[in-house]
Amino acid sequence: MTSTVLESISNGADPGATTTKRVLLLKPRGFCAGVVRAIDIVKIALDTFGAPIYVRREIVHNRYVVNELADKGAIFVHEIDDVPDGQRVIYSAHGVSPAVRDRSKGRNLRVIDATCPLVTKVHIEAVKFAKQGYSLVLIGHRDHDEIEGTLGEAPDVTQVVSSAAEVDTLEVPDPNRVAYLTQTTLSLDEARDIIHALKQKFPNIVGPHSQDICYATENRQVAVRNVAHNADLVLVVGSTNSSNSNRLVEVSRNLGTKGYLIDDSRAIDPKWLENVTNVAVTAGASAPEVLVEDVVNYLRQNGFSSVEEVEVMPENVRFGLPPEIVQAIGGASGAEAVPVR
C-alpha cells in the first residue's frame, strides 16, 4: 500500500492532528477488465460496422457510459424482441440465458457477445453441476441481470438465495447433492455469511474450485476496508443499479464510516462534508474515471486541498476481445487492430 498519509497513521500519528482537509483516492477503483472490454466492444462495433448497433440491456451498469455510447449510435433495448430481424446485437457484460441466445438465432440476429469472461465462468459451472445431478443454489440478487442469465442455464434445478435467512426455506431432492454458485459482484461478507449458512444446512454442499466473486469486486472492497477507518466519509462513484458499487457503500457503513453512493459531484450533499477532515473516494467497477475526477475537483473547490492516492494493491488484468470482433477487425479493409485498454 502506498500513501504518505497511511504511512503516518501506521506509525502512530494522528491523522486529525493537522487541519488540512484530505481526499484519499483509493486504488484500484473504477473500470475493471470486463467493463473495459465490454465498452470497447461497443465502440469497435460502431467504428467497424457503423450505427445502429443494438445492445441488450445496459452494456454496463452506469448511466454516463450508456448515454455516451447512445450518442455514438448504440441503441439500448430491454429484450431481444425489440431488435429488428437480422440486425446486429451485443449482449451486455452481465451475460444472457440460453433462452435469449435461442431467440436471437430465431430472429437471425448477428450476435456479438460482450459477456464478462468471469460471468461466463459461472455459467459454465452451472451447466457442469446440473449435468452432474446437483441441485443448485445461486447466491445473489434476484433482480440483477447477471442472476437472470445464470439462472437460465439450469432453471429447473436452481434456486436463488439473497440472504442467510432464506437458506432455512430451501428444499432439495437430495441434501447430499447440492452445489452453490455466487453472483460475481457480491459483498465478500455477504457471500461468506450465506455460504456458512448453506454449509450448516447441507454439510456435503460443494462449490466452485475458485470463488465466483470477481477479482475487481474483491479488490475494491478490500481497498475500502483498508482505508475506511482512516476516513470520516467514503464517497463511492457509481450508479444505483450497480451491484458492486452498492456493496462498496455497505462495506464502509459496516465498518462504522459514513458512506454514500453518488453518480457524480452533483449528488454530493454539502452537509455530508461538515466537520469532515478526510474523505475517501472510490468508484465501482463500471464507473468511468472522468466522474471520479469530477468529484475530486468538487472536493478541492470545497476546501479539500490535499489529494493523496492510496494504492492498496496493483491490478493489471486484461481480457481479449471476442472472436466476432477480432474477425470483423481483421476482415475490414484497411482496418488496423484496436488494442483493448
Side-chain angles (χ1 to χ4, degrees):
M1 186 158 27
T2 58
S3 168
T4 303
V5 67
L6 284 199
E7 286 173 359
S8 67
I9 291 171
S10 66
N11 290 330
D14 180 3
T18 175
T19 57
T20 301
K21 291 185 176 182
R22 295 187 178 91
V23 175
L24 305 178
L25 189 55
L26 275 58
K27 185 179 180 181
R29 63 180 179 274
F31 283 175
C32 64
V35 165
V36 169
R37 176 179 182 269
I39 294 171
D40 280 348
I41 286 170
V42 178
K43 289 181 177 178
I44 294 169
L46 286 167
D47 289 342
T48 305
F49 305 114
I53 296 288
Y54 290 85
V55 184
R56 182 185 180 273
R57 309 281 172 92
E58 293 187 349
I59 187 68
V60 298
H61 284 160
N62 186 272
R63 177 49 52 185
Y64 180 94
V65 171
V66 169
N67 288 342
E68 184 181 51
L69 294 174
D71 289 342
K72 295 178 182 295
I75 298 176
F76 292 87
V77 298
H78 189 70
E79 294 296 352
I80 287 299
D81 294 339
D82 300 323
V83 181
D85 288 353
Q87 291 296 308
R88 189 169 274 106
V89 64
I90 298 175
Y91 296 150
S92 80
H94 310 105
V96 300
S97 68
V100 171
R101 296 181 188 279
D102 289 343
R103 286 204 299 274
S104 295
K105 289 180 182 178
R107 304 283 307 287
N108 294 316
L109 300 180
R110 290 171 287 176
V111 172
I112 301 172
D113 193 350
T115 302
C116 174
L118 298 180
V119 173
T120 298
K121 165 185 174 288
V122 182
H123 281 235
I124 292 171
E125 290 165 343
V127 172
K128 180 193 72 174
F129 281 128
K131 286 183 176 179
Q132 292 174 348
Y134 284 92
S135 296
L136 272 173
V137 179
L138 182 56
I139 303 170
H141 304 290
R142 288 180 178 82
D143 59 347
H144 196 276
D145 289 342
E146 182 185 329
I147 288 294
E148 177 187 304
T150 306
L151 178 62
E153 294 289 357
D156 295 338
V157 299
T158 305
Q159 300 178 69
V160 179
V161 296
S162 300
S163 68
E166 291 181 9
V167 172
D168 291 337
T169 66
L170 288 175
E171 294 184 6
V172 296
D174 184 354
N176 292 312
R177 297 289 289 177
V178 183
Y180 73 85
L181 299 170
T182 70
Q183 182 178 326
T184 63
T185 54
L186 292 183
S187 155
L188 296 170
D189 294 337
E190 179 183 26
R192 183 196 62 229
D193 291 345
I194 297 175
I195 292 170
H196 177 73
L198 284 169
K199 289 181 176 178
Q200 292 289 106
K201 186 176 179 69
F202 306 112
N204 294 323
I205 194 169
V206 296
H209 290 301
S210 60
Q211 73 167 25
D212 291 331
I213 295 175
C214 89
Y215 77 93
T217 296
E218 178 175 0
N219 289 352
R220 282 147 189 73
Q221 290 177 25
V222 170
V224 171
R225 197 187 307 276
N226 273 270
V227 177
H229 289 303
N230 305 317
D232 307 303
L233 172 69
V234 174
L235 296 178
V236 178
V237 181
S239 292
T240 55
N241 62 338
S242 167
S243 176
N244 75 88
S245 299
N246 279 286
R247 303 295 81 76
L248 293 175
V249 175
E250 290 176 2
V251 169
S252 177
R253 292 176 177 175
N254 288 341
L255 291 171
T257 302
K258 291 180 181 179
Y260 297 99
L261 180 64
I262 56 174
D263 276 311
D264 52 37
S265 66
R266 293 172 297 179
I268 298 174
D269 186 337
K271 293 180 180 178
W272 299 345
L273 304 179
E274 293 177 0
N275 302 314
V276 167
T277 302
N278 296 307
V279 178
V281 175
T282 187
S286 52
E289 183 67 10
V290 64
L291 298 183
V292 176
E293 294 170 356
D294 169 59
V295 169
V296 171
N297 287 335
Y298 174 91
L299 292 170
R300 275 199 178 107
Q301 293 166 9
N302 284 271
F304 291 82
S305 56
S306 174
V307 178
E308 302 182 36
E309 190 167 70
V310 182
E311 182 172 10
V312 176
M313 64 192 71
E315 190 175 274
N316 300 300
V317 178
R318 297 290 184 272
F319 293 139
L321 294 168
E324 304 94 339
I325 286 291
V326 174
Q327 291 166 9
I329 294 172
S333 178
E336 296 181 0
V338 181
V340 179
R341 296 190 305 274

